[in-house]
Amino acid sequence: MYKLEIELKRGHNLAVRDRGGSSDPYVKFKLAGKEVFRSKTIHKNLNPVWDEKTTLIVDSLSEPLYVKVFDYDFGLQDDFMGSAFLYLESLEQQRTIPATLVLKDPHHPDQDLGSLELAVTLTPKDSPVEERRDSTSMEAMFEWEDDEEDKEDKESEHKGFMDKLYAIQDVFISVQSALDEVASYGERIKNTVNWTVPFLSWLAITALCSATFLLYLIPLRYLVLAWGVNKFTKKLRDPYMIDNNELLDFLSRVPSDVQVMQYRELKVDPGQSPNKRRRTNPS
């Protein structure tokens, strides 16, 4: 048996998994298919510094240490960020050896996903025993690896479905907001015709009569020409002027049906004095 001391120092250029252009990485160690260590989570950092130590008891040096990095997602499945093997047979005993593990994706082995910086010390725990390759534990490790890969595929599919669901939800919200705005302007036009606000209705009638009189006296092409000259020379005449639409500004002053209802609910009866209201409502 052997004692394996590992110091997890830091990561370099880890993969981006968050929409904000960062990740929340943590590291897991697996040995013979069993999780033996999990580091703390470093938030919003692609070059995290852990400086954590752990000591493992190893039965056989023929079993490599499997290292995996994940991105922590609150409320969702954690994202896979890369993995690597540390082969214990190549370690020199009773000596601290620095090691740099290049993270890979098993589905895209040509792509580097950053690296981890470790310091490893391997010492015999008892008298050296004959090392033999435990085929059962190796099979368990590879079965675990296959299970993990299947789990990662399911997690990525689930997250892809959730992203599509959120995108559809955003589209529905945008469409609903646009329809609400169109309906609001329709209600404002109706309330202008219904004399809900008499002053604004008289103002609209005056503007329509003036436009009709101008169209009777001046040909339409001259009015269009004057409107075009005014439109394209506004910025030259006043560079700091804020562009606006007079018709939309007018309609914004006309209340919609919801605003009319709210006004009626909040309106106080002017014929009732505060003393009368106090007598009629003893509470």
Side-chain angles (χ1 to χ4, degrees):
M1 299 178 68
Y2 298 88
K3 183 172 68 172
L4 180 65
E5 297 178 3
I6 303 176
E7 180 182 359
L8 175 61
K9 292 186 175 181
R10 62 183 303 162
H12 300 278
N13 301 321
L14 300 185
V16 176
R17 297 307 303 261
D18 293 342
R19 293 183 177 179
S22 185
S23 296
D24 305 315
Y26 67 90
V27 181
K28 283 184 177 182
F29 292 164
K30 297 276 185 175
L31 189 62
K34 297 179 182 180
E35 181 178 329
V36 292
F37 172 78
R38 171 172 172 164
S39 72
K40 62 186 177 183
T41 301
I42 307 296
H43 295 282
K44 304 297 181 184
N45 201 326
L46 299 180
N47 297 281
V49 177
W50 284 284
D51 284 334
E52 293 186 66
K53 295 182 179 180
T54 184
T55 301
L56 309 177
I57 302 302
V58 181
D59 294 330
S60 174
L61 299 182
S62 61
E63 300 172 359
L65 182 73
Y66 193 36
V67 182
K68 298 189 75 172
V69 183
F70 294 91
D71 172 38
Y72 175 77
D73 284 333
F74 179 76
L76 297 174
Q77 295 289 344
D78 296 342
D79 296 326
F80 172 74
M81 296 181 63
S83 63
F85 284 101
L86 177 63
Y87 295 98
L88 306 182
E89 292 177 328
S90 61
L91 299 179
E92 186 175 347
Q93 298 182 24
Q94 298 181 343
R95 180 181 175 185
T96 301
I97 300 175
T100 300
L101 302 182
V102 179
L103 300 175
K104 297 284 188 177
D105 185 346
H107 301 288
H108 304 282
D110 296 334
Q111 181 181 2
D112 291 344
L113 301 178
S115 62
L116 295 180
E117 183 180 337
L118 310 174
V120 185
T121 305
L122 181 65
T123 56
K125 188 174 184 298
D126 295 320
S127 59
V129 296
E130 182 181 357
E131 297 180 6
R132 60 184 182 85
R133 187 170 300 273
D134 190 345
S135 59
T136 304
S137 59
M138 290 296 292
E139 291 176 0
M141 183 187 66
F142 289 119
E143 287 177 0
W144 170 81
E145 182 180 358
D146 294 337
D147 292 340
E148 286 292 319
E149 292 178 0
D150 293 339
K151 183 180 178 181
E152 290 159 10
D153 293 338
K154 291 179 181 179
E155 291 174 359
S156 62
E157 291 176 1
H158 174 74
K159 191 164 186 181
F161 173 76
M162 294 300 297
D163 290 340
K164 292 179 182 178
L165 189 61
Y166 291 146
I168 294 174
Q169 184 179 3
D170 293 339
V171 171
F172 276 120
I173 293 174
S174 301
V175 172
Q176 184 179 4
S177 300
L179 293 177
D180 288 342
E181 188 173 0
V182 171
S184 175
Y185 279 118
E187 292 172 356
R188 295 174 191 275
I189 294 173
K190 181 196 69 174
N191 291 333
T192 302
V193 178
N194 290 344
W195 296 79
T196 302
V197 182
F199 170 74
L200 295 178
S201 298
W202 277 115
L203 183 62
I205 290 176
T206 303
L208 289 174
C209 291
S210 301
T212 303
F213 184 70
L214 287 174
L215 286 173
Y216 177 76
L217 294 178
I218 304 174
L220 179 61
R221 61 178 179 272
Y222 293 123
L223 294 176
V224 173
L225 180 62
W227 174 84
V229 171
N230 177 67
K231 181 73 173 178
F232 292 104
T233 58
K234 276 184 179 180
K235 291 295 182 180
L236 296 177
R237 289 184 277 112
D238 187 0
Y240 302 102
M241 183 183 62
I242 300 175
D243 196 12
N244 64 330
N245 189 304
E246 290 78 5
L247 178 59
L248 295 181
D249 289 344
F250 172 79
L251 290 177
S252 65
R253 290 169 171 77
V254 181
S256 63
D257 290 348
V258 176
Q259 292 173 334
V260 171
M261 186 178 301
Q262 292 174 348
Y263 173 76
R264 289 174 180 172
E265 291 176 354
L266 297 175
K267 187 177 180 182
V268 180
D269 187 0
Q272 219 176 6
S273 65
N275 293 330
K276 290 181 179 180
R277 289 199 300 273
R278 192 177 297 111
R279 288 196 297 270
T280 56
N281 189 9
S283 61

